[in-house]
Amino acid sequence: MLQPRIPVNPLPTGLVTPPVQPAVAADIEPTAPAPVPVPVAPVRTSIQLTPGSALALAAGGGAVVLVVGAVLVSMLLAVAITGVSVALIAVVLRLLVRDMQKGR
């Protein structure tokens, strides 16, 4: 039916390959599929926490929270100060433009 065929070159260049004869379906013997290998779960090591290491871990986590909080608060303050200064500049410029239009 739909048999793949190798095209034959009409002008041979010295090496001509004959068309491939496909194998008949009766010649192919079915084989059993290979068994799927079972993945082996990796061995997990348990972490042993001593009271000293637990205290160090808690102190380190608290320090990280404090540093991140300080950075976020400082960024919020920077945005707030910038907004207030832009608002003051807008008010001053508005007053200057109004004075220039009045001719003072």
Side-chain angles (χ1 to χ4, degrees):
M1 192 166 139
L2 297 174
Q3 302 286 334
R5 301 198 188 276
I6 298 175
V8 179
N9 191 357
L11 299 173
T13 58
L15 181 62
V16 179
T17 56
V20 175
Q21 298 297 328
V24 182
D27 294 343
I28 301 173
E29 296 179 14
T31 59
V36 178
V38 178
V40 178
V43 178
R44 295 187 182 192
T45 59
S46 60
I47 299 174
Q48 300 292 333
L49 286 179
T50 61
S53 63
L55 184 63
L57 187 63
V64 168
V65 167
L66 288 176
V67 169
V68 170
V71 169
L72 290 177
V73 167
S74 64
M75 288 173 62
L76 181 64
L77 278 172
V79 169
I81 291 170
T82 304
V84 169
S85 64
V86 168
L88 286 175
I89 290 171
V91 169
V92 169
L93 285 176
R94 183 176 171 200
L95 290 174
L96 287 174
V97 169
R98 186 180 291 168
D99 285 345
M100 285 175 47
Q101 286 178 350
K102 286 185 180 179
R104 291 185 184 180

